[in-house]
Amino acid sequence: MDSFYKKLIRSSVIGVLVLVALLFIPAGTLNYWQGLVYLAVFVIASTAYSVYLAKYDPALLRRRTEAGISYEKEPVQKIIIFFLFLMCMVLMVLPPLDVRFGWSLVPWYISLMGDVMVAFSFYIFHLVSKENTYAAANVRVEEGQKVISDGLYGVVRHPMYFGALFLFIGTPLALGSWWTLLLIPIFLVILIARILNEEKILARDLPGYTEYQKKVRTRFIPFVW
């Protein structure tokens, strides 16, 4: 087996264990059905997405695994990613605390709706990946990269972030917390800051991007912004 895939499997297992800790230690119990269902949905969806990339676009899979502060070249993006990772940790920890102490009561069908949103976010990631093999997890322009304007890129300029919005909204609902939805405006600010800086880089380094900006006016949320 390729060393890359061995490393990917090892990091995926560690990631799942970290997710289990983030969900069930704050909950104070393993008897947390929302956490169990969310964990299953997230692991199945993310594994299916990774297997698809491994089979049909290994180069993109490598690009998607190069995520984190150390992979960002722009100082502004390093700061943005730091706060994004921090908020993602809070997004995981607050809902089980909410359920444990009964701060808010989310009906079971709303939690399942949240799980559907989480799965749907990975479906959007899948659609984006089919259109754009250069959809890396960090902001960069590679040799040979071209502007993509087909599929979802014909609707919004940053469909991967649009998909992430379903993940950020669906996670608190799936895990049974209304209060955690108050984090969504913070995520929006972080994503908007990332998009604005990313577009400066793309306009500077990616030929044809300024023309694409004129063609597709919406950056992030269809018909909104």
Side-chain angles (χ1 to χ4, degrees):
M1 182 183 292
D2 189 292
S3 60
F4 167 74
Y5 291 106
K6 290 181 180 179
K7 181 180 179 182
L8 178 61
I9 292 172
R10 183 168 57 251
S11 62
S12 298
V13 171
I14 294 173
V16 171
L17 293 176
V18 170
L19 181 58
V20 169
L22 290 174
L23 291 176
F24 295 99
I25 292 178
T29 179
L30 293 176
N31 187 24
Y32 174 30
W33 74 265
Q34 296 97 327
L36 292 171
V37 175
Y38 177 85
L39 181 65
V41 170
F42 188 90
V43 170
I44 291 172
S46 60
T47 301
Y49 177 59
S50 297
V51 169
Y52 168 83
L53 291 182
K55 183 175 181 179
Y56 295 103
D57 197 342
L60 178 54
L61 179 59
R62 291 177 184 270
R63 293 184 179 101
R64 296 303 303 168
T65 58
E66 294 174 350
I69 296 173
S70 62
Y71 288 101
E72 297 290 347
K73 296 181 179 180
E74 302 291 328
V76 172
Q77 291 294 343
K78 290 181 180 290
I79 296 172
I80 291 172
I81 289 299
F82 169 78
F83 283 107
L84 183 60
F85 279 8
L86 180 63
M87 291 306 301
C88 285
M89 296 283 286
V90 177
L91 187 73
M92 291 292 105
V93 171
L94 275 185
L97 287 174
D98 189 338
V99 171
R100 180 177 184 176
F101 296 107
W103 298 333
S104 62
L105 298 176
V106 176
W108 65 268
Y109 54 88
I110 297 295
S111 289
L112 294 183
M113 187 183 302
D115 289 310
V116 171
M117 293 179 69
V118 171
F120 183 65
S121 70
F122 280 93
Y123 177 65
I124 294 180
F125 299 158
H126 164 72
L127 294 179
V128 173
S129 299
K130 288 179 66 176
E131 298 291 343
N132 186 9
T133 188
Y134 292 99
N138 52 62
V139 178
R140 66 190 188 193
V141 174
E142 299 182 47
E143 183 178 353
Q145 183 171 344
K146 298 180 180 179
V147 173
I148 305 297
S149 58
D150 298 327
L152 290 177
Y153 283 94
V155 181
V156 291
R157 301 203 292 257
H158 301 276
M160 191 70 82
Y161 299 137
F162 175 63
L165 188 58
F166 285 90
L167 180 62
F168 294 147
I169 296 175
T171 292
L173 297 178
L175 293 174
S177 174
W178 291 120
W179 285 108
T180 309
L181 289 174
L182 294 176
L183 298 177
I184 301 304
I186 302 176
F187 277 105
L188 286 173
V189 170
I190 293 173
L191 290 177
I192 289 171
R194 182 168 174 81
I195 288 170
L196 290 175
N197 180 257
E198 181 173 344
E199 293 214 316
K200 291 181 180 179
I201 298 167
L202 293 174
R204 181 192 68 197
D205 299 338
L206 183 59
Y209 193 78
T210 52
E211 289 77 10
Y212 170 67
Q213 287 177 299
K214 296 174 183 178
K215 178 182 176 182
V216 179
R217 309 296 296 184
T218 307
R219 295 181 177 93
F220 175 29
I221 303 176
F223 312 113
V224 178
W225 183 77

